[in-house]
């Protein structure tokens, strides 16, 4: 049976219109031209289609194609490393980074770390909406980089597009070409409408031709049997087979996904199908206008499905849940969207000096001694934000009680808060921020929101923490609104005076569903619905797994584990080892990033290197990246065991 991927690829190839000049420049890249091509042009002009044709040609010429989709990539420091794991050792790699405008802040990392480390026969193509900045023409990059601007199609090629969609060169076709203004997206949308026999209503007055055509596509009378699938695809970030099956239980999910994938305004993304951004946005507007109750119900179904998957361990689906929320107050301190401008990164040489220089004379200066200690002794708890020019823009220090270094008990901000968190039923479900510092001359909410996300997703060993200890400066615009939006409680006994500034401690209890459940509840409230009851599936499993991993060579400690079964000490200890080893075999996906995380588990605990430092060196990881992998591996094991225990 023909796969969905083969179906989409076949349709895409058949509909591609030869852009002779553009392909000639890209062919030169594949043959012996520049090593890096920067492709740019407005939305809907056909950049992604051109990139897919390039990838097909690359395969024919013996390149190993590595495709990175900017819409899929989270802003974490390991995201691009995971997506391109092993590429430095590949023969003739062709790296294609599409929708680059979503991850533009990675530009500095690409220029300074990734691209210089590639083999001489590697080729890189980066496609986005905006023209490349001047930094791509400095420091020698002008010798290896070439720019390609993708313009709208000529009238001749526009008519060819319509012909491939079954429209002959008549008055209607010429009318469509005039209105589409060279946009392949507008041409294909109009061709679809005309081919279905509905006729293209091209005489409207809207200056936005894409939105005008989408309004017609959104007409409930057009293919009503697929209307719900189209609405779901417009609302969700990615539409998968599982999502369609959950949201449309009476439909044939496989057939609906095939129908969706065959649309000219859809493309494969992250194991599913996504609509073109311009189409999705216009369709969402139409859905809200035409059927607000229907929009509410579909958003609820999508939310329930994503939450169910996320609560079983796919915690990065927090991105997809965030896509559904509309609350600006929550996005102030918890969002992925700023990744176009900023990215998360580890500490580097010289960062400490920059932090001191920018905070000298500020209210935060008295805390720098403690900041230095984290930088020097526990850098795995420090995360930075950098901009597209690779400049340091902010940093955070975040941790959980089980992983807190001993010296943090003496810290003026963390000491009392750690003691308070350790009295919780499961301290491993708490994440505490010491610092959330924007180093810019003017506060930027996008920096704060990314640092907040870093604490929850990258520093929470539980993976889906239930409690958050927020350092709130009430004078910082947006801080109190963010706290109120999360339902935080101000615990005055944990406030700390820093010079003339009082840093309040606001504690959030997200409930049994953790931060993921809180995201779901927020969406429910936005929809005017009562949130369902949460169920904590994992309980203290993460703490038990962590304890077992650290004591694999201590039978008495293993025998006392809540994971143990059996009657004798040896039997109970052995049962834990078997359980952990089995989970280590089955809990990780086959991707290179997942397998690197599994290797960190092996050299860290199962077949340990002489020290964690040597283990990190063996894996070619920094200390911070290595410890993040260990935290992630512990979470994977707990997720697997929780799923096995679920009824």
């Amino acid at each position: 049976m023909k796969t969905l991927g083969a179906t989409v690829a076949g349709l895409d190839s058949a509909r591609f219109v030869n852009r002779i000049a553009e392909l000639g420049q890209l062919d030169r890249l594949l043959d012996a031209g520049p090593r890096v091509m920067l492709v740019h042009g407005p939305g809907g002009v056909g950049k992604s289609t051109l990139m897919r044709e390039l990838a097909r040609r690359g395969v024919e010429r013996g390149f190993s194609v590595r495709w990175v989709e900017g819409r899929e990539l989270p802003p974490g420091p390991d995201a691009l490393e995971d997506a391109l794991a092993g590429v430095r050792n590949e023969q003739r790699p062709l790296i294609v980074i599409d929708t680059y405008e979503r991850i533009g802040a990675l530009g500095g990392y690409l220029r300074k770390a990734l691209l210089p480390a590639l083999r001489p026969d590697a080729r890189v193509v980066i496609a986005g909406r905006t023209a490349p900045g001047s930094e791509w023409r400095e420091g020698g990059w002008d010798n290896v980089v070439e720019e390609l601007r993708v313009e709208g199609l000529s009238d001749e090629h526009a008519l060819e597009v319509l012909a491939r969609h079954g429209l002959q060169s008549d008055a209607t076709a010429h009318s469509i070409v005039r209105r589409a203004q060279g946009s392949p997206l507008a041409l294909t949308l109009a061709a679809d409408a005309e081919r279905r026999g509905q006729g293209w209503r091209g005489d409207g007055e809207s200056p936005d031709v894409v939105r005008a055509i989408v309004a017609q596509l959104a007409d409930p009378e057009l293919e009503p049997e697929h209307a719900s699938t189209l609405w779901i695809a417009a609302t969700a970030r990615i539409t998968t087979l599982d999502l369609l099956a959950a949201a449309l239980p009476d439909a044939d999910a496989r057939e609906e996904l095939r129908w969706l994938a065959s649309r000219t305004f859809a493309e494969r993304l992250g194991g599913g199908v996504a609509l073109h951004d311009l189409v999705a946005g216009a369709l969402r507007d139409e859905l809200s206008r035409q059927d607000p109750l229907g929009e509410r119900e579909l958003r609820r179904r999508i939310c329930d499905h994503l939450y169910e998957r996320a609560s079983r361990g796919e915690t990065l689906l927090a991105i997809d849940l965030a896509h559904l929320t509309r609350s600006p107050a929550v996005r102030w301190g918890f969002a992925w969207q700023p990744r176009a401008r900023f990215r998360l990164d580890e500490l580097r040489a010289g960062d400490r000096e920059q932090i001191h220089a920018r905070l000298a004379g500020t209210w935060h200066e008295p805390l720098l001694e403690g900041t230095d200690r984290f930088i020097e002794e526990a850098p795995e708890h420090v995360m930075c934000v950098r901009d597209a020019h690779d400049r340091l823009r902010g940093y955070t220090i975040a941790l959980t009680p089980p992983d807190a270094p001993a010296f943090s008990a003496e810290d003026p901000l963390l000491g009392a808060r750690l003691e308070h968190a350790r009295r919780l039923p499961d301290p491993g479900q708490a994440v505490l921020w010491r610092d959330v510092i924007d180093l810019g001359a003017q506060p930027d909410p996008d920096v704060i929101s990314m640092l907040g996300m870093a604490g929850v997703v990258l520093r929470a060993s539980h993976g889906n923490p239930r409690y958050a200890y927020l350092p709130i400066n009430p004078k910082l615009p947006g801080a109190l609104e963010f706290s109120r939006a999360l339902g935080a409680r101000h615990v005055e006994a944990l406030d700390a005076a820093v010079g003339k500034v009082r840093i309040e401690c606001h504690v959030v209890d997200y409930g049994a569903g953790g931060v993921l459940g809180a995201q779901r509840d927020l969406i429910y409230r936005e929809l005017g619905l009562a949130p369902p009851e949460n169920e904590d599936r994992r309980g203290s499993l993460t703490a038990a797994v962590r304890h077992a991993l650290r004591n694999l060579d201590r039978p008495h400690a293993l025998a006392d584990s809540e994971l143990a079964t059996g009657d004798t000490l040896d039997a109970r200890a052995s049962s834990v080892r078997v359980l952990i080893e089995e989970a280590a075999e089955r809990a990780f996906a086959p991707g290179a990033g997942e397998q690197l995380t599994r290797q960190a588990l092996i050299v860290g605990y199962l077949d340990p290197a002489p020290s964690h430092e040597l283990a990190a060196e063996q894996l070619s990881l920094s200390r911070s990246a290595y410890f993040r992998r260990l935290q992630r591996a512990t979470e994977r094991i707990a997720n697997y065991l929780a799923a096995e225990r679920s009824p």
Side-chain angles (χ1 to χ4, degrees), residues 49 64 93 104 133 153 164 189 226 246 282 288 352 360 427 435 549 557 598 607 628:
T49 304
S64 59
L153 294 174
R164 294 195 179 194
L189 290 173
H226 299 298
S288 297
R352 176 181 174 277
D435 293 329
L549 289 171
R598 181 174 179 271
D607 185 13
R628 276 199 306 277

Side-chain angles (χ1 to χ4, degrees), residues 421-600:
R422 288 187 173 116
R423 294 196 294 268
L424 296 170
D426 183 358
Q429 294 193 49
V431 58
L432 296 83
W433 285 261
R434 180 190 189 268
D435 293 329
V436 181
I437 302 297
D438 180 349
L439 294 172
Q442 297 294 328
D444 191 319
D446 284 352
V447 172
I448 298 296
S449 67
M450 190 160 280
L451 292 173
M453 180 65 81
V456 171
V457 176
L458 301 177
R459 286 291 173 256
S461 59
H462 186 270
N464 179 27
R466 173 170 179 166
Y467 306 96
Y469 286 69
L470 309 175
I472 295 293
N473 180 349
K475 296 183 179 180
L476 183 65
L480 290 176
E481 291 80 1
F482 172 63
S483 175
R484 283 194 288 268
L486 294 182
R489 176 173 58 93
H490 179 197
V491 182
E492 294 187 31
L494 301 180
D495 290 353
V498 181
K500 296 181 179 180
V501 176
R502 189 167 188 82
I503 301 301
E504 298 178 357
C505 179
H506 291 215
V507 180
V508 184
D509 180 353
Y510 292 116
V515 68
L516 294 170
Q519 281 186 285
R520 181 197 61 181
D521 293 353
L522 172 65
I523 294 167
Y524 263 71
R525 288 194 293 271
E526 288 181 355
L527 296 174
L529 302 171
E533 292 294 325
N534 288 311
E535 175 188 0
D536 188 356
R537 295 178 180 272
R538 283 188 292 179
S540 60
L541 269 178
T542 303
V545 169
R546 186 186 303 108
H547 176 269
L549 289 171
R550 292 175 175 175
N551 291 281
L552 285 176
D553 59 347
R554 300 176 61 196
H556 284 84
L558 289 185
D560 289 337
S561 171
E562 68 177 74
L563 303 175
T565 58
D567 298 324
T568 67
L569 183 147
D570 286 344
R572 290 177 62 80
S574 178
S575 72
V576 177
R577 292 193 193 95
V578 169
L579 193 66
I580 294 293
E581 290 170 0
E582 177 185 287
E585 285 292 327
R586 301 181 180 179
F588 298 89
E594 283 280 293
Q595 290 304 306
L596 182 58
T597 300
R598 181 174 179 271
Q599 284 300 118

Side-chain angles (χ1 to χ4, degrees), residues 20 32 73 82 87 92 147 236 245 348 417 430 444 539-540 572 611:
I20 297 174
L73 211 63
D82 285 352
V87 73
R92 303 192 78 204
E147 181 180 344
R348 298 184 193 169
R417 299 175 190 188
D444 191 319
S540 60
R572 290 177 62 80
S611 69

